[in-house]
Amino acid sequence: MVTMMSTKLTKGGQTTVPKEVRTALGIADGARVYWSFDGRRAWVSAAPTDPLEVTGEEDFRIRLAEAKDDAAAGRVRDARAVSAELRARYNLA
């Protein structure tokens, strides 16, 4: 069952997450919330979606094509270099 609620959007683009939703999702004061958007609808959650989750064969093929395009365009970095950069930035061993 889906429950529909409404809130008002301020001029600054802010809205209030209804208490019933915050309670159900375990969202505490000051917590970060995550928005997802599929082109028609938006929804909020207490945890980010897993960007590595593949929802089916078509999704897999799309992601594979995007990865190939990124590699061909030079938008891919070596994982060891990224790891070293993060260790240096955060003073990790």
Side-chain angles (χ1 to χ4, degrees):
M1 181 173 111
V2 175
T3 302
M4 179 68 74
M5 297 178 203
S6 70
T7 59
K8 187 175 180 180
L9 191 66
T10 68
K11 289 180 184 178
Q14 297 176 331
T15 191
T16 299
V17 179
K19 182 176 182 178
E20 296 87 348
V21 174
R22 294 191 318 264
T23 300
L25 295 177
I27 300 172
D29 291 347
R32 180 170 295 278
V33 294
Y34 300 87
W35 292 87
S36 300
F37 179 64
D38 68 2
R40 291 185 25 225
R41 292 173 289 223
W43 57 96
V44 65
S45 65
T49 56
D50 183 352
L52 300 178
E53 180 180 345
V54 177
T55 59
E57 183 179 350
E58 181 180 354
D59 182 33
F60 173 78
R61 294 191 184 284
I62 289 169
R63 289 171 185 245
L64 184 59
E66 288 172 350
K68 288 179 179 179
D69 290 344
D70 285 344
R75 292 187 297 259
V76 177
R77 294 180 56 203
D78 180 78
R80 287 175 292 241
V82 172
S83 178
E85 180 182 315
L86 290 172
R87 282 193 308 273
R89 180 182 301 166
Y90 296 106
N91 298 317
L92 303 173

PDB file of all heavy atoms in Angstrom, residues 53-67:
ATOM      1  N   GLU A  53      24.493  -1.617  -8.135  1.00  0.00           N
ATOM      2  CA  GLU A  53      23.395  -2.570  -8.271  1.00  0.00           C
ATOM      3  C   GLU A  53      22.907  -2.590  -9.724  1.00  0.00           C
ATOM      4  O   GLU A  53      22.559  -1.561 -10.283  1.00  0.00           O
ATOM      5  CB  GLU A  53      22.243  -2.193  -7.347  1.00  0.00           C
ATOM      6  CG  GLU A  53      21.074  -3.139  -7.441  1.00  0.00           C
ATOM      7  CD  GLU A  53      19.945  -2.735  -6.498  1.00  0.00           C
ATOM      8  OE1 GLU A  53      20.163  -1.926  -5.600  1.00  0.00           O
ATOM      9  OE2 GLU A  53      18.843  -3.244  -6.695  1.00  0.00           O
ATOM     10  N   VAL A  54      22.905  -3.738 -10.322  1.00  0.00           N
ATOM     11  CA  VAL A  54      22.445  -3.907 -11.692  1.00  0.00           C
ATOM     12  C   VAL A  54      21.041  -4.499 -11.639  1.00  0.00           C
ATOM     13  O   VAL A  54      20.808  -5.512 -10.976  1.00  0.00           O
ATOM     14  CB  VAL A  54      23.395  -4.821 -12.493  1.00  0.00           C
ATOM     15  CG1 VAL A  54      22.876  -5.054 -13.897  1.00  0.00           C
ATOM     16  CG2 VAL A  54      24.790  -4.220 -12.525  1.00  0.00           C
ATOM     17  N   THR A  55      20.111  -3.849 -12.321  1.00  0.00           N
ATOM     18  CA  THR A  55      18.704  -4.253 -12.205  1.00  0.00           C
ATOM     19  C   THR A  55      18.249  -5.232 -13.281  1.00  0.00           C
ATOM     20  O   THR A  55      17.131  -5.700 -13.235  1.00  0.00           O
ATOM     21  CB  THR A  55      17.794  -3.015 -12.237  1.00  0.00           C
ATOM     22  OG1 THR A  55      18.013  -2.321 -13.474  1.00  0.00           O
ATOM     23  CG2 THR A  55      18.089  -2.097 -11.061  1.00  0.00           C
ATOM     24  N   GLY A  56      19.098  -5.531 -14.238  1.00  0.00           N
ATOM     25  CA  GLY A  56      18.712  -6.485 -15.269  1.00  0.00           C
ATOM     26  C   GLY A  56      19.710  -6.481 -16.412  1.00  0.00           C
ATOM     27  O   GLY A  56      20.694  -5.735 -16.409  1.00  0.00           O
ATOM     28  N   GLU A  57      19.442  -7.311 -17.402  1.00  0.00           N
ATOM     29  CA  GLU A  57      20.378  -7.434 -18.520  1.00  0.00           C
ATOM     30  C   GLU A  57      20.507  -6.132 -19.300  1.00  0.00           C
ATOM     31  O   GLU A  57      21.614  -5.726 -19.669  1.00  0.00           O
ATOM     32  CB  GLU A  57      19.925  -8.555 -19.465  1.00  0.00           C
ATOM     33  CG  GLU A  57      20.901  -8.769 -20.607  1.00  0.00           C
ATOM     34  CD  GLU A  57      20.501  -9.893 -21.540  1.00  0.00           C
ATOM     35  OE1 GLU A  57      19.564 -10.646 -21.218  1.00  0.00           O
ATOM     36  OE2 GLU A  57      21.144 -10.009 -22.599  1.00  0.00           O
ATOM     37  N   GLU A  58      19.409  -5.447 -19.534  1.00  0.00           N
ATOM     38  CA  GLU A  58      19.464  -4.187 -20.287  1.00  0.00           C
ATOM     39  C   GLU A  58      20.295  -3.151 -19.527  1.00  0.00           C
ATOM     40  O   GLU A  58      21.133  -2.464 -20.114  1.00  0.00           O
ATOM     41  CB  GLU A  58      18.064  -3.645 -20.540  1.00  0.00           C
ATOM     42  CG  GLU A  58      18.065  -2.351 -21.336  1.00  0.00           C
ATOM     43  CD  GLU A  58      16.671  -1.816 -21.599  1.00  0.00           C
ATOM     44  OE1 GLU A  58      15.678  -2.485 -21.270  1.00  0.00           O
ATOM     45  OE2 GLU A  58      16.588  -0.696 -22.126  1.00  0.00           O
ATOM     46  N   ASP A  59      20.087  -3.055 -18.202  1.00  0.00           N
ATOM     47  CA  ASP A  59      20.861  -2.142 -17.374  1.00  0.00           C
ATOM     48  C   ASP A  59      22.346  -2.495 -17.451  1.00  0.00           C
ATOM     49  O   ASP A  59      23.203  -1.617 -17.591  1.00  0.00           O
ATOM     50  CB  ASP A  59      20.355  -2.200 -15.927  1.00  0.00           C
ATOM     51  CG  ASP A  59      21.074  -1.238 -14.999  1.00  0.00           C
ATOM     52  OD1 ASP A  59      21.475  -0.148 -15.450  1.00  0.00           O
ATOM     53  OD2 ASP A  59      21.215  -1.574 -13.803  1.00  0.00           O
ATOM     54  N   PHE A  60      22.664  -3.776 -17.399  1.00  0.00           N
ATOM     55  CA  PHE A  60      24.050  -4.232 -17.494  1.00  0.00           C
ATOM     56  C   PHE A  60      24.667  -3.789 -18.823  1.00  0.00           C
ATOM     57  O   PHE A  60      25.783  -3.258 -18.858  1.00  0.00           O
ATOM     58  CB  PHE A  60      24.131  -5.756 -17.358  1.00  0.00           C
ATOM     59  CG  PHE A  60      25.501  -6.297 -17.611  1.00  0.00           C
ATOM     60  CD1 PHE A  60      26.489  -6.206 -16.648  1.00  0.00           C
ATOM     61  CD2 PHE A  60      25.804  -6.907 -18.825  1.00  0.00           C
ATOM     62  CE1 PHE A  60      27.764  -6.706 -16.886  1.00  0.00           C
ATOM     63  CE2 PHE A  60      27.075  -7.405 -19.067  1.00  0.00           C
ATOM     64  CZ  PHE A  60      28.060  -7.304 -18.098  1.00  0.00           C
ATOM     65  N   ARG A  61      23.958  -4.000 -19.913  1.00  0.00           N
ATOM     66  CA  ARG A  61      24.491  -3.649 -21.231  1.00  0.00           C
ATOM     67  C   ARG A  61      24.689  -2.140 -21.375  1.00  0.00           C
ATOM     68  O   ARG A  61      25.672  -1.680 -21.961  1.00  0.00           O
ATOM     69  CB  ARG A  61      23.600  -4.201 -22.326  1.00  0.00           C
ATOM     70  CG  ARG A  61      23.617  -5.727 -22.356  1.00  0.00           C
ATOM     71  CD  ARG A  61      22.945  -6.291 -23.592  1.00  0.00           C
ATOM     72  NE  ARG A  61      22.888  -7.737 -23.538  1.00  0.00           N
ATOM     73  CZ  ARG A  61      23.924  -8.556 -23.759  1.00  0.00           C
ATOM     74  NH1 ARG A  61      25.099  -8.049 -24.039  1.00  0.00           N
ATOM     75  NH2 ARG A  61      23.774  -9.869 -23.700  1.00  0.00           N
ATOM     76  N   ILE A  62      23.764  -1.361 -20.823  1.00  0.00           N
ATOM     77  CA  ILE A  62      23.889   0.103 -20.862  1.00  0.00           C
ATOM     78  C   ILE A  62      25.124   0.536 -20.084  1.00  0.00           C
ATOM     79  O   ILE A  62      25.925   1.353 -20.550  1.00  0.00           O
ATOM     80  CB  ILE A  62      22.617   0.772 -20.310  1.00  0.00           C
ATOM     81  CG1 ILE A  62      21.460   0.586 -21.290  1.00  0.00           C
ATOM     82  CG2 ILE A  62      22.850   2.247 -20.014  1.00  0.00           C
ATOM     83  CD1 ILE A  62      20.101   0.969 -20.732  1.00  0.00           C
ATOM     84  N   ARG A  63      25.290  -0.017 -18.878  1.00  0.00           N
ATOM     85  CA  ARG A  63      26.442   0.347 -18.048  1.00  0.00           C
ATOM     86  C   ARG A  63      27.756  -0.067 -18.705  1.00  0.00           C
ATOM     87  O   ARG A  63      28.762   0.637 -18.621  1.00  0.00           O
ATOM     88  CB  ARG A  63      26.319  -0.278 -16.666  1.00  0.00           C
ATOM     89  CG  ARG A  63      25.232   0.361 -15.835  1.00  0.00           C
ATOM     90  CD  ARG A  63      25.009  -0.433 -14.565  1.00  0.00           C
ATOM     91  NE  ARG A  63      23.920   0.074 -13.800  1.00  0.00           N
ATOM     92  CZ  ARG A  63      24.048   0.607 -12.591  1.00  0.00           C
ATOM     93  NH1 ARG A  63      25.229   0.717 -12.039  1.00  0.00           N
ATOM     94  NH2 ARG A  63      22.995   1.039 -11.946  1.00  0.00           N
ATOM     95  N   LEU A  64      27.770  -1.219 -19.355  1.00  0.00           N
ATOM     96  CA  LEU A  64      28.964  -1.679 -20.044  1.00  0.00           C
ATOM     97  C   LEU A  64      29.327  -0.726 -21.176  1.00  0.00           C
ATOM     98  O   LEU A  64      30.494  -0.332 -21.331  1.00  0.00           O
ATOM     99  CB  LEU A  64      28.756  -3.097 -20.577  1.00  0.00           C
ATOM    100  CG  LEU A  64      29.949  -3.758 -21.240  1.00  0.00           C
ATOM    101  CD1 LEU A  64      31.131  -3.846 -20.282  1.00  0.00           C
ATOM    102  CD2 LEU A  64      29.559  -5.141 -21.744  1.00  0.00           C
ATOM    103  N   ALA A  65      28.331  -0.303 -21.945  1.00  0.00           N
ATOM    104  CA  ALA A  65      28.574   0.645 -23.042  1.00  0.00           C
ATOM    105  C   ALA A  65      29.083   1.979 -22.495  1.00  0.00           C
ATOM    106  O   ALA A  65      30.008   2.583 -23.053  1.00  0.00           O
ATOM    107  CB  ALA A  65      27.299   0.849 -23.852  1.00  0.00           C
ATOM    108  N   GLU A  66      28.501   2.441 -21.394  1.00  0.00           N
ATOM    109  CA  GLU A  66      28.950   3.702 -20.783  1.00  0.00           C
ATOM    110  C   GLU A  66      30.389   3.580 -20.301  1.00  0.00           C
ATOM    111  O   GLU A  66      31.188   4.514 -20.457  1.00  0.00           O
ATOM    112  CB  GLU A  66      28.038   4.082 -19.619  1.00  0.00           C
ATOM    113  CG  GLU A  66      26.667   4.544 -20.056  1.00  0.00           C
ATOM    114  CD  GLU A  66      25.706   4.728 -18.886  1.00  0.00           C
ATOM    115  OE1 GLU A  66      26.038   4.318 -17.735  1.00  0.00           O
ATOM    116  OE2 GLU A  66      24.613   5.270 -19.110  1.00  0.00           O
ATOM    117  N   ALA A  67      30.746   2.430 -19.715  1.00  0.00           N
ATOM    118  CA  ALA A  67      32.113   2.220 -19.239  1.00  0.00           C
ATOM    119  C   ALA A  67      33.095   2.234 -20.401  1.00  0.00           C
ATOM    120  O   ALA A  67      34.177   2.823 -20.304  1.00  0.00           O
ATOM    121  CB  ALA A  67      32.198   0.910 -18.465  1.00  0.00           C
TER     122      ALA A  67
END
